[in-house]
Amino acid sequence: MKVLVPVKRVVDYNVKVRVKSDQSGVDIASVKMSMNPFDEIAVEEATRLKEKGVATEVLAVSCGVTQCQETLRTAMAIGADRGILIQTDAELQPLAVAKLLKVVCDKEQPSLVILGKQAIDDDASQVGQMLAALLGWPQATYASKIEVAGDTAKVTREVDGGMEIIDLKLPAIVTTDLRLNEPRYVTLPNIMKAKKKQLDTVTPQDLGVDVAPRLKTLKVSEPAARKAGVKVADVAALVDKLKNEAKVV
């Protein structure tokens, strides 16, 4: 069974992002970039399936600039067997990414696609759902547990009222939540081994996909500064302020 794992290069979650002075977007010049944390969980889960003997191959795919090769090498250091970079300098929106991944899925014929539920840069949470729709495959989002047996995947997902268990007929799409697993520490020997693994590069034009943006960003701005809080003497004073000043009760 082949497992395909899309991975995205994003600003590292430890970096405090800054908005560009012209408000056209976020300044990513000279900031640390890394793999999207939810995608890292997806790679870890695919690797564990391979270690259990359930999966025979793990394929990592990334869409974006040349530097995305570093993200793919990280995925291969975790456990992916090979990587595919769909190289483009264009702004990739969720629908474009889903279309690119569909073409790759049509060619590679994976039995399971595992990807992060969302990217921490745009928080769109759309690629997995769009890919499932384009392929016509069943999907399970926000997975906290994945069990594969034969041609069926049992996915436990967290919902507002508790836990929901879904049986999926493979091939299928699964998006990962934080509690699915804890990614392993990448060791230096595995980093060195990853450098020798196969990494193919194609372009959207090679795949016959139009990645032109459908949406236009008008302005990006920082959130307004929060007002300082005040201390109240007792509950009565708190209720009074909530009722007469904040007008929320």
Side-chain angles (χ1 to χ4, degrees), residues 18-20 22-26 217-224:
R18 297 181 179 179
V19 175
K20 292 181 179 179
D22 61 359
Q23 295 187 319
S24 61
V26 173
T217 301
L218 301 179
K219 184 176 71 171
V220 177
S221 58
E222 295 184 3

Side-chain angles (χ1 to χ4, degrees), residues 2-4 104-113 137 171-172:
K2 182 186 296 184
V3 180
L4 187 146
V104 175
C105 288
D106 290 339
K107 179 181 178 182
E108 295 290 339
Q109 294 293 307
S111 298
L112 184 64
V113 178
W137 290 4

Side-chain angles (χ1 to χ4, degrees), residues 78-107:
I78 293 173
D81 298 292
R82 59 189 177 96
I84 296 177
L85 171 61
I86 305 173
Q87 186 173 329
T88 176
D89 292 328
E91 176 193 353
L92 292 177
Q93 295 177 350
L95 180 58
V97 175
K99 288 181 177 180
L100 292 170
L101 293 176
K102 178 188 181 297
V103 177
V104 175
C105 288
D106 290 339
K107 179 181 178 182

Side-chain angles (χ1 to χ4, degrees), residues 140 145-149 152-156 165-168 170 174:
K145 186 178 181 181
I146 302 173
E147 298 173 275
V148 180
T152 304
K154 180 181 289 186
V155 179
T156 303
I165 299 176
I166 300 177
D167 283 336
L168 302 175
L170 300 180
V174 177

Side-chain angles (χ1 to χ4, degrees), residues 55-83:
T56 55
E57 182 183 17
V58 176
L59 170 61
V61 181
S62 189
C63 309
V65 296
T66 306
Q67 290 85 344
C68 289
Q69 291 185 18
E70 301 168 9
T71 307
L72 287 170
R73 292 296 179 191
T74 301
M76 289 188 279
I78 293 173
D81 298 292
R82 59 189 177 96

